[in-house]
Amino acid sequence: MSDTFEAALAGRVDAMVDACTRCGKCVEVCPVTTPGGVNAEPVAVISGVLDILRTGDGPEVSRKWANACLLSGECLKACDYGVNPRFLLGMARVAMTRNKDEPGERRRQGVDGFRKVARDVTHISQMQLDDELLARLGQNPRRRISPDSPPDFVFYTGCNVIKTPHIALLALDIMDALGVTYEVLGGPSHCCGIVQMRAGDVATSGRFGESTMDKLARSKSGQVISWCPSCHVQFTETTLPTVERVRGARPFEMTPFMLFLRGKLERLRPQLRRRVPMRVALHRHPGIKGVVEAAEDILRAVPGVELVNLNQPAVGLMSNYFRALPAYRRELQKNELEAAEKAGIDALVAVYHADHRELCAHERDYPFRIMNVLEIVGASMGLARDDQFKRLKKLQDVEAIMADCADLIAQNGLDIATTRQSVQAMLDEQPLPLREKRDDAALRRDAAAPING
């Protein structure tokens, strides 16, 4: 089956390469050509990408563009020929990896990457949740909750939102309040295959993706509600179209949670009973069409909320997609935080979990809160989930976090050394360093010290 998937994926790439007219419009509209150092003519850049797709190698400027892709999606709007430039750039990165590494090395990197994701998701979530809540998120096989009959929807969390479980739990609470039935699937046991695809191990990625896809095809509506944008793009642009080419049909359609929720807005409005008197700004990433606009519509429906536009660039799929452009990521985050401070908002509100993980500790240093959009919605509905991830990350100390979570670490039987690695990874995920803030003991020592001169 994996060979069939691999062949079908290659066939899709070949068809798009043939359909591409090399007009260069996708390069012209891309927001990262300047920060990515892509300074050649657009026609030359896209022509080089096609060379990479054919041979695994191409001009440096085309390699730069492929590696700098943040999945903003602007290129999708620019192409008039049925080509998905974002998909081709992803496949160009795979082609470069496959050209560079032997199959054994690709498999090793895929395994190592998956194990790290699984380790961190498992440990960070179990440091925050008891058995009952882990089961509610589908992360406790001993207490798995499955509906007696096919649900309205399958809610697919992906992996990494489980690190910030208050977000996923609020999504479930809101669906419960709307009377929607669902089954929750996600976490490392329902991998979308993206880690293996990035490592160039297409066969294993296909096996993982198809296995998860078959598990997701359980709802009576044929609809899967997705949370994670990475998983959404992986399924909708890579796995589902490729499997459709193999099997002749798609097992389901996938809708991002924000679009699903906006579609239920008239049912939601009567439940937004409590005023939430806050001036909030939305941290925006436009990679999936309509998600930012849906989040804005939902926030405007909350009584008391004033939505403030900070007039900052909206770029990429999520903050963690800026791997190849770390200085650009730091610049964007710094400018946004400073603009938020100047605007005097009450909260900077993100949609996605990766953005929350990167931004939340800055709440320590700024006069506003860092929140998720569902916390605002929940507050108006009388629903609340404690953001334990933010509370822990603001401690900024591995041993302090370990001590704080000692009971759950013991209850869930977590290995201390491995847990410590996951906590360190949690703190390391801080692209823009926190402001210098000296502890109280240091300030007292300075105050007691003699003044020289």
Side-chain angles (χ1 to χ4, degrees), residues 47 66 73 105 128 151 190 200 207 267 286 332 363 379 397 407 411 413:
S47 296
E105 175 61 16
Q128 302 174 68
H190 297 87
R207 284 197 298 273
R267 287 171 59 182
L332 289 175
E363 184 178 287
D397 181 88
D407 288 350
Q411 178 181 313

Side-chain angles (χ1 to χ4, degrees), residues 170 174 268-278 298-305 371 373-384:
L170 279 168
I174 291 167
L268 181 66
R269 284 183 196 277
Q271 305 215 35
L272 300 172
R273 299 184 183 97
R274 302 185 182 187
R275 283 184 59 79
V276 184
M278 297 179 71
I298 292 164
L299 286 171
R300 290 190 186 100
V302 176
V305 165
M371 302 178 70
V373 62
L374 297 188
E375 293 181 82
I376 304 289
V377 176
S380 187
M381 298 175 71
L383 304 171

Side-chain angles (χ1 to χ4, degrees), residues 177-418:
L178 292 173
V180 172
T181 64
Y182 55 85
E183 181 176 8
V184 183
L185 296 177
S189 60
H190 297 87
C191 177
C192 68
I194 193 169
V195 174
Q196 296 81 10
M197 186 66 74
R198 286 174 182 157
D201 188 358
V202 175
T204 302
S205 176
R207 284 197 298 273
F208 272 61
E210 287 188 82
S211 174
T212 296
M213 181 195 72
D214 290 336
K215 295 171 187 174
L216 293 175
R218 294 178 177 175
S219 72
K220 61 187 177 186
S221 66
Q223 291 285 331
V224 172
I225 302 171
S226 63
W227 179 265
C228 175
S230 297
C231 296
H232 184 89
V233 170
Q234 177 70 11
F235 269 108
T236 59
E237 298 187 11
T238 301
T239 306
L240 286 170
T242 303
V243 168
E244 184 176 19
R245 188 179 178 112
V246 173
R247 302 183 185 180
R250 292 180 184 234
F252 55 80
E253 296 298 329
M254 189 171 265
T255 302
F257 185 82
M258 281 294 117
L259 296 183
F260 162 80
L261 192 58
R262 184 175 61 180
K264 304 288 184 184
L265 194 53
E266 293 313 305
R267 287 171 59 182
L268 181 66
R269 284 183 196 277
Q271 305 215 35
L272 300 172
R273 299 184 183 97
R274 302 185 182 187
R275 283 184 59 79
V276 184
M278 297 179 71
R279 300 180 72 245
V280 307
L282 186 66
H283 176 79
R284 298 152 63 234
H285 290 288
I288 298 179
K289 183 180 178 181
V291 166
V292 169
E293 293 79 7
E296 290 174 338
D297 287 347
I298 292 164
L299 286 171
R300 290 190 186 100
V302 176
V305 165
E306 177 188 350
L307 191 58
V308 178
N309 188 347
L310 298 179
N311 297 307
Q312 298 297 302
V315 184
L317 186 68
M318 282 194 296
S319 293
N320 60 339
Y321 272 81
F322 288 68
R323 298 178 191 91
L325 301 172
Y328 184 46
R329 172 162 57 175
R330 288 192 296 272
E331 176 190 353
L332 289 175
Q333 291 187 358
K334 181 175 182 291
N335 290 345
E336 182 177 50
L337 290 167
E338 290 178 351
E341 185 174 33
K342 184 176 181 180
I345 63 170
D346 297 304
L348 180 61
V349 177
V351 173
Y352 297 125
H353 49 289
D355 304 317
H356 188 76
R357 294 199 312 268
E358 290 189 3
L359 291 169
C360 68
H362 289 290
E363 184 178 287
R364 187 198 74 175
D365 301 336
Y366 285 86
F368 51 83
R369 299 172 67 186
I370 307 291
M371 302 178 70
N372 182 266
V373 62
L374 297 188
E375 293 181 82
I376 304 289
V377 176
S380 187
M381 298 175 71
L383 304 171
R385 294 284 178 178
D386 291 335
D387 184 354
Q388 299 292 351
F389 182 94
K390 178 172 67 178
R391 185 182 66 79
L392 294 172
K393 189 163 183 180
K394 284 166 67 176
L395 295 176
Q396 287 292 296
D397 181 88
V398 171
E399 297 309 318
I401 293 170
M402 296 282 288
D404 188 285
C405 301
D407 288 350
L408 283 171
I409 290 172
Q411 178 181 313
N412 290 311
L414 298 178
D415 175 74
I416 296 298
T418 310

Side-chain angles (χ1 to χ4, degrees), residues 51-291:
D51 289 340
I52 294 169
L53 289 164
R54 292 191 185 98
T55 69
D57 200 4
E60 178 62 21
V61 70
S62 301
R63 296 167 64 89
K64 276 187 177 181
W65 189 46
N67 284 322
C69 178
L70 306 178
L71 281 75
S72 287
E74 298 301 320
C75 56
L76 303 177
K77 307 171 192 175
C79 185
D80 299 322
Y81 301 99
V83 174
N84 181 333
R86 179 163 75 181
F87 168 74
L88 288 185
L89 288 175
M91 291 300 101
R93 293 191 294 277
V94 171
M96 289 188 286
T97 299
R98 288 165 70 88
N99 189 52
K100 174 174 64 77
D101 296 328
E102 293 297 321
E105 175 61 16
R106 299 199 295 265
R107 284 192 294 273
R108 186 193 67 76
Q109 290 183 10
V111 168
D112 288 350
F114 175 76
R115 284 176 176 168
K116 184 180 185 305
V117 169
R119 179 199 76 187
D120 292 348
V121 167
T122 299
H123 286 74
I124 298 302
S125 63
Q126 291 188 12
M127 290 169 65
Q128 302 174 68
L129 301 176
D130 59 22
D131 280 356
E132 182 179 352
L133 290 178
L134 286 167
R136 187 154 190 236
L137 291 177
Q139 301 307 300
N140 188 339
R142 295 170 301 186
R143 299 181 59 180
R144 175 144 190 85
I145 301 170
S146 294
D148 296 329
S149 58
D152 296 331
F153 302 96
V154 169
F155 180 65
Y156 181 48
T157 64
C159 287
N160 282 309
V161 72
I162 308 299
K163 295 178 186 174
T164 49
H166 72 293
I167 298 174
L169 289 169
L170 279 168
L172 303 187
D173 292 341
I174 291 167
M175 286 194 287
D176 286 344
L178 292 173
V180 172
T181 64
Y182 55 85
E183 181 176 8
V184 183
L185 296 177
S189 60
H190 297 87
C191 177
C192 68
I194 193 169
V195 174
Q196 296 81 10
M197 186 66 74
R198 286 174 182 157
D201 188 358
V202 175
T204 302
S205 176
R207 284 197 298 273
F208 272 61
E210 287 188 82
S211 174
T212 296
M213 181 195 72
D214 290 336
K215 295 171 187 174
L216 293 175
R218 294 178 177 175
S219 72
K220 61 187 177 186
S221 66
Q223 291 285 331
V224 172
I225 302 171
S226 63
W227 179 265
C228 175
S230 297
C231 296
H232 184 89
V233 170
Q234 177 70 11
F235 269 108
T236 59
E237 298 187 11
T238 301
T239 306
L240 286 170
T242 303
V243 168
E244 184 176 19
R245 188 179 178 112
V246 173
R247 302 183 185 180
R250 292 180 184 234
F252 55 80
E253 296 298 329
M254 189 171 265
T255 302
F257 185 82
M258 281 294 117
L259 296 183
F260 162 80
L261 192 58
R262 184 175 61 180
K264 304 288 184 184
L265 194 53
E266 293 313 305
R267 287 171 59 182
L268 181 66
R269 284 183 196 277
Q271 305 215 35
L272 300 172
R273 299 184 183 97
R274 302 185 182 187
R275 283 184 59 79
V276 184
M278 297 179 71
R279 300 180 72 245
V280 307
L282 186 66
H283 176 79
R284 298 152 63 234
H285 290 288
I288 298 179
K289 183 180 178 181
V291 166

